[in-house]
């Protein structure tokens, strides 16, 4: 038996999320999660709310939701991908505040590794790893650490994503940025051969 009120709240939350109304989406998804008749879709509701919290830059709330989903749906690649995004977002916020973001970027890389363990061909995860290597390289370089290996790893990740999907324009752009991180402007200009 479906709880009509909880189901309507779930649908409303997803629609609000799609429209970018994140506060409304979070409220509706939280209401829907209270409906016992929707227990069969609890993991999906919590995952959606975690994504909304991430988009609202509530990284602590997003992490809490994703940890709950990982208990419900152990080993889901989507959970690790979202956790990687959260760690990366925390790193960016940390860097904007003037603090050292490198540990957050390393946590993001570890989460991307776990996502790849579950789905090694996910081009978004491979590209995300490349971006984290670039961010880590930029943070290391800003602290006087030789970051060339980080940028080389970023280039390798984006190249791997392009091998899986040669039309994946995001990987071309990101690979160009990684080449720039190495100071290779000519290679960056040639990052997209199309």
């Amino acid at each position: 038996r479906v709880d009509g009120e909880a189901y309507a709240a779930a649908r409303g939350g997803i629609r609000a999320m799609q429209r970018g109304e994140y506060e409304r989406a979070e409220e509706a998804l939280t209401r829907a999660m209270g409906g016992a008749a929707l227990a069969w879709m609890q993991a999906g509701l919590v995952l959606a709310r975690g994504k909304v919290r991430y988009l609202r830059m509530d990284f602590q709330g997003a992490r809490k939701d994703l940890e709950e989903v990982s208990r419900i749906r152990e080993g889901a690649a989507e959970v690790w991908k979202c956790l990687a995004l959260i760690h990366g977002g925390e790193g960016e916020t940390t860097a904007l505040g003037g603090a050292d973001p490198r540990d957050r970027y390393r946590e993001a890389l570890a989460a991307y590794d776990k996502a790849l363990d579950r789905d090694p061909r996910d081009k978004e995860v491979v590209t995300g790893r490349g971006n984290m290597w670039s961010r880590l390289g930029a943070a290391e370089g800003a602290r006087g650490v030789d970051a060339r290996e980080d940028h080389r790893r970023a280039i390798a990740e984006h190249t791997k994503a392009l091998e899986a999907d040669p039309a994946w324009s995001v990987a071309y752009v990101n690979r160009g940025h990684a080449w720039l991180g190495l100071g290779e402007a000519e290679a960056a200009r040639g990052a997209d051969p199309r």
Side-chain angles (χ1 to χ4, degrees):
R1 185 175 169 292
V2 174
D3 177 342
E5 188 175 314
Y7 185 74
R11 286 184 54 162
I14 298 299
R15 286 186 178 142
M17 183 173 146
Q18 292 168 337
R19 290 190 304 266
E21 299 169 357
Y22 302 129
E23 187 172 342
R24 174 181 273 163
E26 184 176 349
E27 291 168 2
L29 291 166
T30 300
R31 276 196 322 274
M33 289 163 43
L38 295 184
W40 58 275
M41 61 185 291
Q42 186 74 4
L45 292 171
V46 176
L47 179 60
R49 187 178 71 179
K51 288 180 178 182
V52 167
R53 286 178 166 174
Y54 165 78
L55 293 167
R56 294 185 70 204
M57 296 184 73
D58 173 8
F59 300 127
Q60 185 175 4
R63 181 181 296 134
K64 181 180 171 192
D65 282 347
L66 292 170
E67 287 169 355
E68 181 178 341
V69 173
S70 71
R71 283 191 297 277
I72 298 168
R73 203 189 292 166
E74 189 176 331
E78 184 71 15
V79 171
W80 292 108
K81 187 188 314 186
C82 290
L83 282 170
L85 289 171
I86 289 167
H87 292 309
E90 288 173 329
E92 291 300 304
T93 303
T94 300
L96 288 172
D100 187 349
R102 293 179 292 177
D103 286 342
R104 294 289 178 247
Y105 296 150
R106 289 182 188 108
E107 289 171 358
L109 285 165
Y112 278 128
D113 286 344
K114 290 185 179 186
L116 283 173
D117 287 346
R118 284 137 183 94
D119 186 0
R121 294 181 306 253
D122 187 329
K123 67 184 180 186
E124 292 177 9
V125 172
V126 174
T127 300
R129 264 182 62 78
N131 289 339
M132 279 309 116
W133 280 116
S134 286
R135 288 180 187 177
L136 181 59
E140 301 251 82
R143 285 157 183 80
V145 176
D146 183 357
R148 289 178 291 190
E149 187 58 31
D150 296 334
H151 293 294
R152 286 187 192 104
R153 287 178 175 172
I155 291 164
E157 292 294 338
H158 296 306
T159 300
K160 192 183 313 176
L162 289 167
E163 289 167 357
D165 183 356
W168 183 239
S169 61
V170 171
Y172 285 112
V173 171
N174 292 332
R175 187 169 67 175
H177 285 280
W179 278 114
L180 287 174
L182 277 174
E184 300 283 343
E186 278 304 309
R189 277 193 277 282
D192 183 352
R194 293 177 290 152

